[in-house]
């Protein structure tokens, strides 16, 4: 896998996390987003929800390109970096908790991704 391909996977991962963050922010703007059919429809037309959906659409097209060029068994685990990005992003953006166990979990994910990346070199 080339550095360019890794960059594409990272860009895809960042797009997915950005979409999730937009959804979260859009939901936070509503008191009771799932109170009725009307509030759900209004929610679906929120610029944050629509923006997240649009970014997810672009990410899907990019992902299709990525899996046409990179082994899925290598590309997909790299996307697990989204867990790490989302944990730290949620801490800084939404004020969510960041515990020692979450940090240990992030380190384990990094170790797993590193092992998978190295396995491609020695296969």
């Amino acid at each position: 896998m080339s550095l360019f391909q890794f960059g594409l996977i990272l860009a895809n991962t960042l797009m997915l996390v950005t979409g999730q963050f937009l959804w979260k922010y859009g939901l936070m703007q509503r008191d009771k987003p799932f109170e009725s059919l009307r509030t759900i429809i209004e929610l679906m037309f929120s610029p944050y929800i629509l923006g997240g959906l649009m970014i997810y659409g672009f990410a899907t097209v990019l992902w299709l390109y990525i899996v046409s060029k990179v082994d899925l068994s290598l590309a997909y685990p790299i996307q697990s970096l989204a867990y790490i990005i989302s944990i730290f992003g949620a801490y800084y953006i939404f004020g969510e908790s960041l515990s020692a166990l979450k940090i240990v979990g992030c380190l384990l994910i990094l170790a797993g991704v590193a092992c998978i990346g190295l396995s491609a070199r020695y296969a």
Side-chain angles (χ1 to χ4, degrees):
M1 177 174 58
S2 70
L3 186 59
F4 176 72
Q5 291 168 332
F6 179 80
L8 289 178
I9 296 168
L10 188 58
N12 179 265
T13 302
L14 290 171
M15 291 168 74
L16 294 173
V17 172
T18 300
Q20 292 283 335
F21 280 21
L22 284 171
W23 292 342
K24 171 79 172 173
Y25 188 77
L27 287 164
M28 290 172 60
Q29 303 306 304
R30 310 280 179 169
D31 287 333
K32 296 178 182 177
F34 297 99
E35 183 176 46
S36 67
L37 182 58
R38 179 175 181 241
T39 61
I40 293 170
I41 292 170
E42 288 173 353
L43 176 67
M44 294 310 296
F45 287 98
S46 157
Y48 300 107
I49 302 300
L50 288 174
L53 287 169
M54 190 170 74
I55 290 171
Y56 251 63
F58 290 137
T60 299
V61 173
L62 179 57
W63 183 248
L64 292 173
Y65 175 77
I66 290 166
V67 297
S68 76
K69 304 293 182 190
V70 179
D71 288 348
L72 186 61
S73 63
L74 185 59
Y76 198 73
I78 294 171
Q79 272 196 331
S80 66
L81 295 175
Y83 294 117
I84 297 168
I85 296 165
S86 66
I87 286 171
F88 286 97
Y91 172 76
Y92 287 107
I93 295 171
F94 299 116
E96 294 184 10
S97 68
L98 181 62
S99 66
L101 278 176
K102 286 182 182 178
I103 293 171
V104 169
C106 289
L107 293 173
L108 290 171
I109 290 169
L110 282 174
V113 171
C115 287
I116 290 167
L118 288 172
S119 74
R121 231 181 216 186
Y122 300 112

